Amino acid sequence: MLKSKTFLKKTRAGGVMKIVREHYLRDDIGCGAPGCAACGGAHEGPALEPQPQDPASSVCPQPHYLLPDTNVLLHQIVSAWRPGTWASVASSLRLPGSLETYVEQEQGENANDRNDRAIRVAAKWYNEHLKKMSADNQLQVIFITNDRRNKEKAIEEGIPAFTCEEYVKSLTANPELIDRLACLSEEGNEIESGKIIFSEHLPLSKLQQGIKSGTYLQGTFRASRENYLEATVWIHGDNEENKEIILQGLKHLNRAVHEDIVAVELLPKSQWVAPSSVVLHDEGQNEEDVEKEEETERMLKTAVSEKMLKPTGRVVGIIKRNWRPYCGMLSKSDIKESRRHLFTPADKRIPRIRIETRQASTLEGRRIIVAIDGWPRNSRYPNGHFVRNLGDVGEKETETEVLLLEHDVPHQPFSQAVLSFLPKMPWSITEKDMKNREDLRHLCICSVDPPGCTDIDDALHCRELENGNLEVGVHIADVSHFIRPGNALDQESARRGTTVYLCEKRIDMVPELLSSNLCSLKCDVDRLAFSCIWEMNHNAEILKTKFTKSVINSKASLTYAEAQLRIDSANMNDDITTSLRGLNKLAKILKKRRIEKGALTLSSPEVRFHMDSETHDPIDLQTKELRETNSMVEEFMLLANISVAKKIHEEFSEHALLRKHPAPPPSNYEILVKAARSRNLEIKTDTAKSLAESLDQAESPTFPYLNTLLRILATRCMMQAVYFCSGMDNDFHHYGLASPIYTHFTSPIRRYADVIVHRLLAVAIGADCTYPELTDKHKLADICKNLNFRHKMAQYAQRASVAFHTQLFFKSKGIVSEEAYILFVRKNAIVVLIPKYGLEGTVFFEEKDKPNPQLIYDDEIPSLKIEDTVFHVFDKVKVKIMLDSSNLQHQKIRMSLVEPQIPGISIPTDTSNMDLNGPKKKKMKLGK
Amino acid sequence: MAGLELLSDQGYRVDGRRAGELRKIQARMGVFAQADGSAYIEQGNTKALAVVYGPHEIRGSRARALPDRALVNCQYSSATFSTGERKRRPHGDRKSCEMGLQLRQTFEAAILTQLHPRSQIDIYVQADGGTYAACVNAATLAVLDAGIPMRDFVCACSAGFVDGTALADLSHVEEAAGGPQLALALLPASGQIALLEMDARLHEDHLERVLEAAAQAARDVHTLLDRVVRQHVREASILLGD
């Protein structure tokens, strides 16, 4: 049946448009209930469950389907979701409605009422339709709505209807479901006294007006990790530079939650503040102490010099909430029998959430997930509901799960659909695979990796040619041969973006069959590779570059140490060793040349745990060691990446996937320059080259570790390197590597960016065919965005995992005293680095129950004077490390000062655990 | 793309059709008595009227006459009330000229022009919110009505491409949303293509699928037109019989 919709519309110019639209009503949409003879197989898409599992509802004993109305579905989908029960009912209600359930908007009826009526008609139709089915399969459709009028009308029309709460309460088998219901604003109001804390959020239309006219600014809200009363808003304008606005105080934050898109209003200059350097955590249990908080706010605004002031603003409205379910723990209410409790998220940037639960005692001491439902104006905390219980706090599995969830790392096992695209075992290279491929099995190729590495994605070779030049080859696993564009396997790896390495486990980007077997360039087996082969002279100048798909047979998989041994030992002269020596020689020249160009050598403390093989508990902690061979492999990987970047940009100037590292703004270096000046050293930061040189010269004969400390600080000043699409940007420069162009090509097993680059390169050399998405720069930009996000999250997850294992380590080790260096000085604390463990921690000088010592903070020199002792950056101190378990939610490493001794603050020295081993050095290059 | 969802997850389009389904087509032949041939077609909300005169002697400049075949002259115009906004379009604007040219190319390919050397066939098409496809289909019927010998029916249909699915017979909403759009005029019996036109960029891998969708739709149109012609002939013969 055909329906025609006609309506008039006024155009912007003032003309009148007549719009006529056709609407075809279908008679072939099935009900979706399996076994329904009338509809047969007419239904496509998700089907209803054949026999809805009986949820034992007391109000409705027979088996039934649920039909929620739109609002219920929107608000409660997380809470009461049971797959299959209602999926397809909702789908048939959409506009291309079937003939029987089409509802025309009546005169004077608004769109909402029409929708409600449409849902009621659908429910009625379903009930009548299902009656026609065989008698033993008698099913009923129950209408769930929270709208009182809607429910009354439904009952009038003979449709069984309940409110969400009534229904869920009646589910006798699952009492915990009631906790999961999102609490709605109506109930929420009762919780608080009528006192209004926050100013109202402006409606979206007003915000958009304000943003257009420039009175408000739009940006991403970022709560501070260190101070719950402070946040910054990143303004993402098109023309102006990204700038930051500071928000301070509960009222100015105005219920914004981390990651929300908000509109802010700038305050007059007289009210501007400087970012405070106080570390402050929300610890009050009492909800009514708003006044006390105002007190604390005032404390933040202590004397600051004029130029420290930053633009300050307040949130006037929320443009888009970015709430997600949060992990954390329940802080049980002090009041017995209370059902309302506060939930403390693991992420310190998220405010505490008030939830209602009857199972507080069972949930105590467990990690749970909670979702925010809303934040009324009169409530100090947002309201939320309980979603899931993860397990006991401190259990390794629970904590790993928490950190994966918190960092949004997809870690579910690969689905059947994904696995179906894997090659069938036993796998071997066929004639077809050899098309467009060069046979390099005769070459003496070997791989050099860290010990225990199973996903080997690069191998090298070097040999002398007849004309006296050297041929150097980098062979990368040909992952794009196995992951074909567009299939489920490709989509899943694109979503994961990167392999995440945690201390005790690895979350693969591609299924294990590929990552550890078929793609891994293991020794003595034939493997498909993508090779980049250069002809070089002995001065490491590239004469010719060739890219080809190939088959290789690695002759040896070595560890860095093994390769080093071969190079160093005089009596080994086999092919592999000569090849390695040649590579090593060239790598040294390449490195020297790169550093001359201004590449930075930075440093960050990196540690490695020795795990107990049985319990997987960390038994020792050690900073990673670096050998010549590490830098040898790295040098050739860099060279391959740069060569490939040039090639793909040449071929695809609009849609090459590249990686850039923007130069940091000069203000980023302030902290480094100031810190160096306090040691009478000068760091030049105008170019990368001068920075590298001044870092090299910044040595102190009495303080050998100073240089490493400076490099660690310099690393903190850097910007994040990011992937981007060449057609969307015009600044390609890689600051850290001092290369005009760069990409990632060498680790396709663990990075998706490399897979895309492989595909681009394969098309460029004619070894593979192109596909539509590859040459779509908007799609590519989307991929880049996701990859950048996943990489950042993977990094955070790795750090969190290290932090957790450090805690486990110190739990078993007890209290230790160690030497440390001051990295930063804060208003009420110092941040120290313990070189032995690569561990960073904060030493607080203010404690709640102790009298505060006299603290004088000087921002210019960075120094902190406590009583009579002055602390500068890079000062050597001695600290005591212990695990603080007093707060179960955040078990943390607590550090306290041992030396220099300050009466009343430092703790007496405990010499028994002293360890005077010198710190081991660890260097890491940026951007790898 | 923000805004309208052209293809729902369940595979329905904005107006309730599936990807390969045509809009409702209604057609009549012989709507004008004074013309040699005429036809009227409705494809959804698109309505087209075609009139054919000829073959007759060349009018105007005799120099235009072709020695070996007939000259096909096509004119396209759209009614002022045919689009959403009432707008007077001067005769011979760019869009009409272009459409006229395309129609001419299409019908020169289909009409057996060599049978009528030194003569002229005029096709006048008027369309409401016209699309090329409706015009071609209407003109085909009109040419048939005029009794001008053709190789085959010319059936045209448009096709678009949304989210990896090829959509046949685009409606106005779908056209307006942007995105690739392809017009195809097909001689169904031989499978030959009389005209193929596309303005937007489309990856070559997708082209085949979109083309197939359009061709399938054109074949469907053929079935419908064929029915209309047979019906018309039957009616005419009954009239003659009386």
Side-chain angles (χ1 to χ4, degrees):
Chain A
M1 197 172 78
L2 186 70
K3 281 268 174 194
S4 204
K5 248 193 310 192
T6 309
F7 54 94
L8 295 169
K9 203 165 104 182
K10 209 172 154 203
T11 61
R12 209 177 282 169
V16 175
M17 291 256 278
K18 185 177 183 187
I19 291 172
V20 185
R21 287 217 181 122
E22 289 184 298
H23 191 83
Y24 294 85
L25 297 183
R26 312 195 64 95
D27 52 5
D28 61 347
I29 298 180
C31 66
C36 171
C39 301
H43 182 80
E44 299 160 7
L48 295 170
E49 273 175 17
Q51 201 67 52
Q53 276 152 19
D54 194 10
S57 162
S58 55
V59 288
C60 178
Q62 63 268 66
H64 54 270
Y65 292 126
L66 295 178
L67 179 68
D69 79 353
T70 358
N71 283 333
V72 172
L73 197 63
L74 274 177
H75 292 128
Q76 313 287 8
I77 188 131
V78 198
S79 46
W81 174 259
R82 288 200 310 281
T85 346
W86 58 35
S88 88
V89 183
S91 71
S92 65
L93 293 175
R94 307 180 54 136
L95 259 188
S98 65
L99 196 54
E100 296 92 336
T101 53
Y102 182 73
V103 174
E104 196 149 6
Q105 193 161 356
E106 280 171 7
Q107 197 88 47
E109 185 182 45
N110 66 24
N112 270 340
D113 288 347
R114 192 210 82 106
N115 287 344
D116 286 346
R117 196 155 60 86
I119 297 170
R120 288 201 303 273
V121 170
K124 207 166 174 186
W125 177 81
Y126 255 100
N127 270 336
E128 275 160 22
H129 181 80
L130 291 175
K131 259 182 214 147
K132 290 183 211 148
M133 285 170 63
S134 55
D136 57 317
N137 207 1
Q138 204 55 253
L139 289 164
Q140 211 182 3
V141 166
I142 292 180
F143 182 48
I144 307 282
T145 178
N146 277 340
D147 182 349
R148 203 169 299 139
R149 274 210 357 255
N150 201 358
K151 188 188 151 197
E152 278 163 16
K153 274 190 189 156
I155 290 172
E156 254 170 55
E157 288 167 31
I159 308 161
F162 302 99
T163 67
C164 204
E165 211 184 335
E166 283 172 344
Y167 180 77
V168 175
K169 269 192 187 149
S170 73
L171 298 177
T172 40
N174 312 43
E176 82 281 356
L177 272 178
I178 188 86
D179 285 347
R180 300 205 194 172
L181 282 186
C183 69
L184 293 160
S185 51
E186 274 177 77
E187 305 166 67
N189 283 345
E190 303 160 17
I191 295 176
E192 275 305 313
S193 57
K195 198 173 147 201
I196 284 171
I197 308 172
F198 298 104
S199 56
E200 202 161 353
H201 286 155
L202 297 177
L204 201 58
S205 56
K206 263 205 179 138
L207 293 180
Q208 275 161 346
Q209 249 173 32
I211 289 165
K212 229 177 224 169
S213 66
T215 37
Y216 303 141
L217 295 163
Q218 179 179 344
T220 316
F221 182 88
R222 293 188 183 171
S224 157
R225 254 177 229 278
E226 294 184 330
N227 184 341
Y228 75 100
L229 289 174
E230 198 172 276
T232 52
V233 172
W234 274 85
I235 308 298
H236 20 72
D238 315 321
N239 41 6
E240 67 222 286
E241 282 289 282
N242 281 351
K243 60 175 181 178
E244 237 181 357
I245 290 179
I246 293 184
L247 310 174
Q248 220 170 51
L250 216 49
K251 278 179 186 161
H252 288 168
L253 299 182
N254 201 357
R255 293 171 285 162
V257 179
H258 185 65
E259 296 273 273
D260 285 350
I261 311 282
V262 296
V264 288
E265 181 187 42
L266 273 181
L267 295 175
K269 261 206 171 117
S270 57
Q271 290 180 43
W272 283 16
V273 296
S276 68
S277 12
V278 178
V279 182
L280 209 58
H281 295 306
D282 187 6
E283 266 158 5
Q285 174 64 246
N286 190 354
E287 297 175 9
E288 307 298 332
D289 49 3
V290 182
E291 281 100 37
K292 206 177 108 199
E293 264 150 20
E294 275 164 12
E295 191 86 2
T296 343
E297 279 168 31
R298 234 166 280 137
M299 192 188 98
L300 297 179
K301 295 169 190 159
T302 42
V304 275
S305 61
E306 191 68 17
K307 64 170 186 181
M308 291 288 293
L309 295 180
K310 294 260 170 70
T312 309
R314 65 180 192 95
V315 172
V316 287
I318 309 281
I319 291 160
K320 189 172 165 269
R321 289 285 194 192
N322 260 333
W323 290 344
R324 57 184 174 91
Y326 299 102
C327 293
M329 276 181 71
L330 199 67
S331 331
K332 214 173 147 195
S333 170
D334 294 338
I335 309 154
K336 259 189 197 165
E337 309 286 307
S338 169
R339 272 163 42 200
R340 295 188 178 115
H341 305 275
L342 275 180
F343 160 84
T344 315
D347 189 343
K348 287 191 191 124
R349 291 171 299 192
I350 307 298
R352 295 199 282 171
I353 302 164
R354 184 186 304 103
I355 63 167
E356 197 171 324
T357 179
R358 282 168 216 190
Q359 357 163 28
S361 35
T362 44
L363 293 181
E364 204 184 9
R366 291 183 181 244
R367 294 278 183 189
I368 59 172
I369 299 183
V370 160
I372 303 186
D373 298 323
W375 197 338
R377 284 177 65 196
N378 50 10
S379 158
R380 166 71 179 81
Y381 297 109
N383 295 327
H385 65 268
F386 164 74
V387 178
R388 197 151 79 91
N389 182 348
L390 293 175
D392 282 334
V393 164
E395 288 282 315
K396 235 180 313 175
E397 285 80 49
T398 317
E399 296 298 330
T400 310
E401 178 87 13
V402 167
L403 78 90
L404 290 175
L405 280 171
E406 268 304 298
H407 296 95
D408 203 7
V409 176
H411 59 283
Q412 299 79 10
F414 288 97
S415 70
Q416 215 49 48
V418 170
L419 296 177
S420 69
F421 287 99
L422 291 177
K424 301 281 165 291
M425 293 303 279
W427 175 85
S428 65
I429 297 168
T430 63
E431 204 52 37
K432 217 175 100 207
D433 296 334
M434 288 304 290
K435 215 183 119 200
N436 292 328
R437 232 172 244 286
E438 215 167 301
D439 193 343
L440 301 178
R441 276 176 282 201
H442 57 281
L443 290 178
C444 185
I445 295 170
C446 65
S447 62
V448 184
D449 283 286
C453 177
T454 57
D455 48 351
I456 306 170
D457 39 24
D458 49 76
L460 298 155
H461 88 273
C462 171
R463 63 171 179 176
E464 196 148 340
L465 295 172
E466 280 161 15
N467 60 9
N469 287 335
L470 291 169
E471 182 193 76
V472 178
V474 166
H475 310 274
I476 307 297
D478 190 6
V479 177
S480 63
H481 177 85
F482 297 98
I483 303 185
R484 302 311 298 170
N487 65 27
L489 177 57
D490 181 47
Q491 280 164 5
E492 180 63 22
S493 27
R495 193 170 77 91
R496 297 192 176 210
T498 174
T499 295
V500 182
Y501 295 88
L502 302 182
C503 290
E504 82 292 5
K505 97 192 232 188
R506 183 178 87 197
I507 291 122
D508 277 325
M509 182 183 84
V510 295
E512 205 184 343
L513 176 66
L514 290 181
S515 69
S516 314
N517 188 357
L518 296 186
C519 287
S520 181
L521 305 175
K522 296 191 288 190
C523 59
D524 301 324
V525 281
D526 290 351
R527 287 285 176 255
L528 301 180
F530 208 142
S531 303
C532 175
I533 298 166
W534 301 281
E535 191 180 325
M536 285 184 182
N537 59 20
H538 285 268
N539 222 354
E541 277 151 0
I542 299 171
L543 305 172
K544 235 189 257 168
T545 311
K546 189 177 89 177
F547 304 101
T548 178
K549 290 222 171 188
S550 61
V551 185
I552 62 161
N553 189 323
S554 170
K555 300 289 178 287
S557 354
L558 307 171
T559 63
Y560 289 121
E562 282 168 12
Q564 190 68 53
L565 268 178
R566 273 171 185 261
I567 293 174
D568 293 343
S569 75
N571 47 12
M572 283 184 90
N573 277 313
D574 54 301
D575 281 353
I576 297 173
T577 315
T578 9
S579 169
L580 282 172
R581 284 194 190 125
L583 289 168
N584 198 26
K585 208 183 93 204
L586 291 172
K588 280 184 188 160
I589 307 174
L590 286 170
K591 184 169 184 185
K592 200 170 135 245
R593 199 176 301 151
R594 210 162 50 81
I595 287 174
E596 273 167 16
K597 270 198 224 152
L600 297 174
T601 318
L602 297 172
S603 178
S604 74
E606 217 172 303
V607 289
R608 203 186 166 83
F609 289 95
H610 288 280
M611 298 285 190
D612 189 311
S613 53
E614 295 276 306
T615 58
H616 294 289
D617 281 330
I619 43 179
D620 198 5
L621 227 155
Q622 162 185 59
T623 44
K624 279 187 194 164
E625 252 183 287
L626 264 186
R627 292 188 178 80
E628 230 174 27
T629 39
N630 290 47
S631 112
M632 171 188 94
V633 172
E634 192 188 310
E635 222 40 66
F636 283 104
M637 294 307 131
L638 291 177
L639 194 64
N641 285 338
I642 293 171
S643 295
V644 171
K646 279 182 193 150
K647 175 78 180 171
I648 59 171
H649 182 245
E650 219 167 80
E651 203 75 17
F652 303 98
S653 59
E654 280 292 293
H655 35 253
L657 191 153
L658 301 175
R659 188 167 172 86
K660 70 169 174 183
H661 181 219
S667 60
N668 274 23
Y669 285 124
E670 237 165 67
I671 191 157
L672 173 69
V673 174
K674 273 184 192 165
R677 202 177 293 145
S678 71
R679 292 273 155 183
N680 294 324
L681 292 168
E682 197 188 359
I683 300 285
K684 292 198 199 90
T685 57
D686 39 343
T687 62
K689 191 169 160 55
S690 61
L691 175 65
E693 274 168 7
S694 53
L695 276 177
D696 284 340
Q697 284 156 13
E699 296 271 359
S700 158
T702 53
F703 189 4
Y705 197 61
L706 178 66
N707 192 274
T708 314
L709 281 173
L710 280 171
R711 286 181 200 276
I712 291 172
L713 265 189
T715 315
R716 307 278 162 98
C717 303
M718 294 295 152
M719 309 280 282
Q720 271 276 332
V722 288
Y723 296 110
F724 69 105
C725 165
S726 62
M728 309 288 268
D729 209 324
N730 41 26
D731 171 31
F732 294 179
H733 195 75
H734 197 292
Y735 181 80
L737 296 172
S739 169
I741 192 165
Y742 191 68
T743 191
H744 271 165
F745 169 73
T746 53
S747 301
I749 300 180
R750 57 187 178 86
R751 288 190 305 233
Y752 188 74
D754 303 50
V755 177
I756 296 277
V757 170
H758 273 227
R759 286 178 188 160
L760 286 167
L761 186 65
V763 175
I765 62 166
D768 207 341
C769 53
T770 172
Y771 61 101
E773 280 76 27
L774 194 65
T775 52
D776 184 332
K777 66 177 177 183
H778 297 283
K779 289 241 170 71
L780 201 59
D782 286 346
I783 291 176
C784 288
K785 213 171 134 197
N786 179 46
L787 289 179
N788 288 331
F789 172 72
R790 295 289 178 200
H791 274 270
K792 201 169 69 191
M793 282 311 172
Q795 227 171 42
Y796 291 163
Q798 264 149 358
R799 275 185 221 158
S801 171
V802 168
F804 174 65
H805 280 84
T806 317
Q807 284 174 18
L808 284 184
F809 174 68
F810 283 107
K811 198 175 182 179
S812 59
K813 190 132 186 175
I815 300 167
V816 195
S817 285
E818 281 300 338
E819 271 178 11
Y821 296 100
I822 300 179
L823 267 188
F824 303 104
V825 178
R826 300 258 188 257
K827 235 181 200 175
N828 60 349
I830 52 172
V831 180
V832 296
L833 176 84
I834 298 152
K836 189 184 173 197
Y837 302 120
L839 180 70
E840 202 179 310
T842 313
V843 180
F844 291 94
F845 293 117
E846 276 173 338
E847 268 169 78
K848 252 190 264 162
D849 4 306
K850 282 189 191 166
N852 283 352
Q854 191 199 355
L855 299 171
I856 302 164
Y857 175 68
D858 186 347
D859 188 62
E860 278 309 302
I861 313 166
S863 70
L864 182 68
K865 191 173 175 190
I866 304 164
E867 305 288 337
D868 293 322
T869 323
V870 185
F871 290 94
H872 288 107
V873 175
F874 302 144
D875 277 354
K876 195 181 202 175
V877 293
K878 192 166 281 176
V879 293
K880 197 148 112 179
I881 313 160
M882 60 193 135
L883 188 70
D884 180 4
S885 313
S886 60
N887 182 350
L888 264 178
Q889 157 81 2
H890 289 293
Q891 283 199 355
K892 54 190 166 194
I893 303 287
R894 183 173 286 262
M895 296 194 185
S896 35
L897 197 65
V898 179
E899 263 178 27
Q901 290 205 346
I902 305 170
I905 292 167
S906 58
I907 304 167
T909 328
D910 177 15
T911 40
S912 60
N913 265 322
M914 286 284 289
D915 195 333
L916 293 168
N917 278 353
K920 278 172 193 149
K921 248 186 169 182
K922 147 83 195 164
K923 283 181 185 169
M924 193 190 74
K925 251 129 270 128
L926 201 83
K928 169 92 194 276
Chain B
M1 193 167 25
L4 211 54
E5 182 191 36
L6 290 180
L7 191 69
S8 76
D9 298 339
Q10 287 79 30
Y12 297 116
R13 291 154 70 171
V14 195
D15 52 8
R17 287 183 291 156
R18 280 185 217 278
E21 287 174 344
L22 294 177
R23 288 174 293 169
K24 188 176 180 179
I25 294 185
Q26 277 177 319
R28 260 172 62 205
M29 289 168 74
V31 285
F32 287 125
Q34 69 268 48
D36 292 321
S38 59
Y40 172 74
I41 193 164
E42 273 185 23
Q43 281 182 274
N45 280 331
T46 308
K47 292 156 195 169
L49 190 62
V51 184
V52 173
Y53 295 97
H56 54 73
E57 277 193 28
I58 298 271
R59 287 199 192 112
S61 158
R62 300 229 155 229
R64 288 197 303 154
L66 302 168
D68 57 340
R69 56 198 167 94
L71 180 81
V72 180
N73 176 34
C74 290
Q75 248 180 46
Y76 165 87
S77 61
S78 71
T80 48
F81 50 83
S82 66
T83 46
E85 217 170 343
R86 185 171 273 264
K87 208 183 203 173
R88 177 171 281 278
R89 290 203 173 74
H91 200 67
D93 66 336
R94 219 185 74 86
K95 195 183 149 204
S96 307
C97 286
E98 197 179 304
M99 188 71 96
L101 195 71
Q102 286 175 0
L103 285 172
R104 199 174 108 192
Q105 287 169 350
T106 313
F107 281 93
E108 277 183 344
I111 297 175
L112 297 170
T113 47
Q114 62 274 26
L115 292 181
H116 310 281
R118 313 185 71 78
S119 55
Q120 177 178 359
I121 298 167
D122 295 329
I123 304 175
Y124 298 102
V125 191
Q126 202 171 25
D128 291 0
T131 64
Y132 170 79
C135 293
V136 171
N137 295 336
T140 302
L141 291 179
V143 172
L144 284 171
D145 189 35
I148 297 170
M150 289 171 82
R151 286 192 179 81
D152 191 3
F153 280 68
V154 194
C155 297
C157 195
S158 61
F161 189 73
V162 172
D163 297 338
T165 316
L167 305 182
D169 195 15
L170 299 183
S171 71
H172 178 69
V173 189
E174 287 158 346
E175 271 180 22
Q181 181 192 341
L182 167 145
L184 170 83
L186 189 77
L187 307 181
S190 58
Q192 281 176 311
I193 292 172
L195 187 112
L196 176 68
E197 195 228 352
M198 186 170 66
D199 314 332
R201 278 168 62 115
L202 182 72
H203 195 277
E204 59 171 320
D205 287 8
H206 296 319
L207 181 66
E208 205 155 320
R209 269 193 290 155
V210 180
L211 205 55
E212 183 44 46
Q216 182 53 46
R219 281 192 284 274
D220 294 344
V221 172
H222 173 242
T223 336
L224 281 163
L225 295 189
D226 191 57
R227 202 183 302 153
V228 171
V229 172
R230 281 176 203 285
Q231 175 76 20
H232 179 73
V233 170
R234 204 172 305 133
E235 278 168 16
S237 59
I238 289 168
L239 282 176
L240 285 177
D242 288 337

